[in-house]
Amino acid sequence: MTDPDSFAALLTSEGQALLDALHDHDPADELATATRLRREHPAELVSAALGQARLRQRAAAKFGADARRMYFTPNGVEQSTRTAVAEHRAARLAALGVRSVADLCAGIGGDALALARAGIRVLAVDRDPLACAAARANAEALGLGDLIEVRRADVTETDTTGYDAVFVDPARRTKARGGRIFDPEAYSPPLSWAIGAARTAPYAALKIAPGVPHEALPADAETEWISDGGDVKEAVLWFGPAGDTAPGAVRPGGRRATLLPAGESLLGADLPDPEPGPVGGWLHEPDGAVIRAHLVADVARQVGGRLIDPTIAYITADTLVPTPYATSYAITDVLPFNVKKLRALLREREVGVAVIKKRGSAVEPEELRKKLKLGGRNSCTVFLTRVAGAPAMLLGHPANPRVTPGR
């Protein structure tokens, strides 16, 4: 389903009936299902419905139950913001007093839907006719058509005057192979254009890749890295008036890490890197958003910790101070890296399940796992890393009230 006519056919009563029949469709039975449906429906419509059913199943990971009622394009599924992240951003805009947003590069409307659900009026602009058709259908399907206007246009020629905020989600994949684009100026439109558009509005949010180099970040924007369930999903450049002291206000030049679904948000204090020191009884593994935002020092201060190595983002401490910004472990052993020693130790402790983590190590966890030949009733977490510049292995367990350092 790659053309507007095929998509329009899905919105007819016959197309809707087909989509309803394919709600619980098993892709393994697609050939038999297609053969059966083509006895009663046009082949083109059956193909379009089956394609949409596949896209809805793929989109469920991002959109949850809404995916069963929504409409997608292949690019829309890949590039759309997952609902939890879009809702977080919409809630922040609403808290800033934003009541209208020009959503540029809106795609199938995932962000527009979250904004509308937050009570914000949205102009959703995209130049792709199929994406615009899907965005309109999604707004109607979810009962948000009164708040979302979809316009097919070139975003660089769109007048955003009168809107409280601008949101831009530039394309970051190549058209030919769908590969990711890492150069911000190769985005479509380029990041420099998006920044210029952002500076014309009272507030703005620009979605960018989380791996963006810090030197490419504009000094007058706050950059927020967002993780969901421990996975870093995106970064956002926020623009707003300087000097605003309200809670949640945009902090120009600031760096922030936000962890979903809890919504914990850490704004950096421009701290120097903590000094490294010996491994204590506890190890803290910062969330990926914290690492991307260069806020490891802020978490180290929270937990009263230090680095195990100046180049490794593991924090160690002598006492446990829980933090939402890192996963904590009780450390039982700190040893120079040695496969034979590790195998013997795990066998002695009857470890059958080992979670192997690496940071700053060339060892591949799966290759190491084969060499360990695990078997037993206990579990263990193994960290392959560097301590004071030397290859090391740390053994431990996730922190909980029943686990303390030293076995």
Side-chain angles (χ1 to χ4, degrees), residues 79 81 85 89 111 167-172 180-185 187-192 194-195 198 205-218 221-226 232-239 292:
Q79 299 181 20
T81 306
V85 179
R89 186 164 44 240
D111 283 283
F167 171 64
V168 188
D169 181 6
R172 295 179 301 282
R180 294 185 184 277
I181 295 173
F182 297 99
D183 178 7
E185 285 307 294
Y187 292 175
S188 181
L191 181 59
S192 58
I195 291 172
L206 311 183
K207 179 178 171 182
I208 58 176
V212 63
H214 278 232
E215 57 267 24
L217 302 175
E222 174 193 304
T223 309
E224 178 183 30
W225 283 262
I226 304 172
V232 182
K233 295 301 179 185
E234 65 179 57
V236 183
L237 296 179
W238 289 92
F239 292 82
R292 294 278 194 179

Side-chain angles (χ1 to χ4, degrees), residues 274 284 297-306 315-321:
H284 301 278
D298 297 76
V299 175
R301 172 176 286 186
Q302 282 189 357
V303 302
R306 54 194 177 270
I315 302 166
T316 187
D318 300 317
T319 58
L320 177 62
V321 178

Side-chain angles (χ1 to χ4, degrees), residues 20 51 56 77 82 87 90 94 109 111 119 149-150 155 187 214 222 235 262 270 276 320 350 366 368 392:
D20 288 343
R56 285 178 168 182
V77 172
R82 64 172 51 204
E87 288 177 344
D111 283 283
E149 175 193 348
V150 179
V155 298
Y187 292 175
H214 278 232
E222 174 193 304
D270 294 322
L320 177 62
E350 299 182 350
E366 289 310 311
L368 176 61

Side-chain angles (χ1 to χ4, degrees), residues 214 251-255 267-273 293-295 297-298 301:
H214 278 232
R251 299 290 188 263
R255 290 170 290 142
L267 181 65
D270 294 322
L271 299 178
D273 289 338
H294 295 182
L295 300 183
D298 297 76
R301 172 176 286 186

Side-chain angles (χ1 to χ4, degrees), residues 330-333 342 345-346 349 380-382 393-397:
I331 297 301
T332 59
D333 301 88
L342 179 61
L345 196 57
L346 297 181
R349 296 179 183 176
C380 179
T381 303
V382 179
M393 52 188 189
L394 281 57
L395 279 62
H397 305 274

Side-chain angles (χ1 to χ4, degrees), residues 18-382:
L18 268 175
L19 289 174
D20 288 343
L22 291 170
H23 264 172
D24 299 313
H25 163 62
D26 184 351
D29 298 331
E30 186 162 305
L31 181 58
T33 300
T35 301
R36 173 174 55 81
L37 292 176
R38 284 171 181 159
R39 297 188 188 118
E40 302 177 6
H41 305 279
E44 295 82 359
L45 181 58
V46 171
S47 295
L50 283 168
Q52 192 59 225
R54 289 194 298 270
L55 292 174
R56 285 178 168 182
Q57 289 178 349
R58 287 171 54 195
K62 286 187 175 182
F63 292 92
D66 282 343
R68 293 171 66 93
R69 295 184 289 160
M70 291 176 64
Y71 299 86
F72 300 95
T73 67
N75 284 341
V77 172
E78 293 295 330
Q79 299 181 20
S80 291
T81 306
R82 64 172 51 204
T83 296
V85 179
E87 288 177 344
H88 160 73
R89 186 164 44 240
R92 186 171 180 189
L93 284 167
L96 291 170
V98 169
R99 295 296 174 260
S100 62
V101 171
D103 179 2
L104 308 181
C105 308
I108 59 143
D111 283 283
L113 295 172
L115 291 164
R117 280 177 165 165
I120 297 173
R121 179 172 56 86
V122 186
L123 170 65
V125 184
D126 204 283
R127 65 183 177 185
D128 181 350
L130 189 56
C132 288
R136 289 190 188 95
N138 287 332
E140 294 299 326
L142 298 181
L144 298 167
D146 291 343
L147 283 170
I148 300 175
E149 175 193 348
V150 179
R151 183 184 302 173
R152 183 190 173 195
D154 185 333
V155 298
T156 65
E157 299 175 358
T158 299
D159 183 7
T160 61
T161 304
Y163 288 88
D164 296 336
V166 168
F167 171 64
V168 188
D169 181 6
R172 295 179 301 282
R173 291 179 182 272
T174 60
K175 292 182 178 179
R177 298 184 180 180
R180 294 185 184 277
I181 295 173
F182 297 99
D183 178 7
E185 285 307 294
Y187 292 175
S188 181
L191 181 59
S192 58
W193 177 87
I195 291 172
R199 289 171 175 157
T200 66
Y203 292 96
L206 311 183
K207 179 178 171 182
I208 58 176
V212 63
H214 278 232
E215 57 267 24
L217 302 175
D220 57 337
E222 174 193 304
T223 309
E224 178 183 30
W225 283 262
I226 304 172
S227 67
D228 187 18
D231 295 327
V232 182
K233 295 301 179 185
E234 65 179 57
V236 183
L237 296 179
W238 289 92
F239 292 82
D244 189 348
T245 59
V250 175
R251 299 290 188 263
R255 290 170 290 142
R256 183 185 300 271
T258 298
L259 282 52
L260 302 177
E264 300 283 355
S265 194
L266 176 63
L267 181 65
D270 294 322
L271 299 178
D273 289 338
E275 291 296 322
V279 178
W282 303 94
L283 188 76
H284 301 278
E285 180 183 29
D287 184 272
V290 170
I291 296 173
R292 294 278 194 179
H294 295 182
L295 300 183
V296 173
D298 297 76
V299 175
R301 172 176 286 186
Q302 282 189 357
V303 302
R306 54 194 177 270
L307 298 180
I308 65 171
D309 184 278
T311 64
I312 302 296
Y314 281 139
I315 302 166
T316 187
D318 300 317
T319 58
L320 177 62
V321 178
T323 173
Y325 302 107
T327 304
S328 302
Y329 298 85
I331 297 301
T332 59
D333 301 88
V334 182
L335 302 164
F337 178 74
N338 184 291
V339 176
K340 291 183 178 180
K341 175 64 175 177
L342 179 61
R343 183 170 56 234
L345 196 57
L346 297 181
R347 186 172 299 173
E348 174 189 332
R349 296 179 183 176
E350 299 182 350
V351 171
V353 177
V355 177
I356 302 175
K357 295 174 170 285
K358 59 172 283 185
R359 186 164 291 167
S361 171
V363 179
E364 290 300 327
E366 289 310 311
E367 291 299 317
L368 176 61
R369 191 184 307 279
K370 293 175 184 177
K371 297 176 181 179
L372 294 179
K373 300 177 182 179
L374 300 172
R377 56 187 176 83
N378 298 320
S379 62
C380 179
T381 303
V382 179

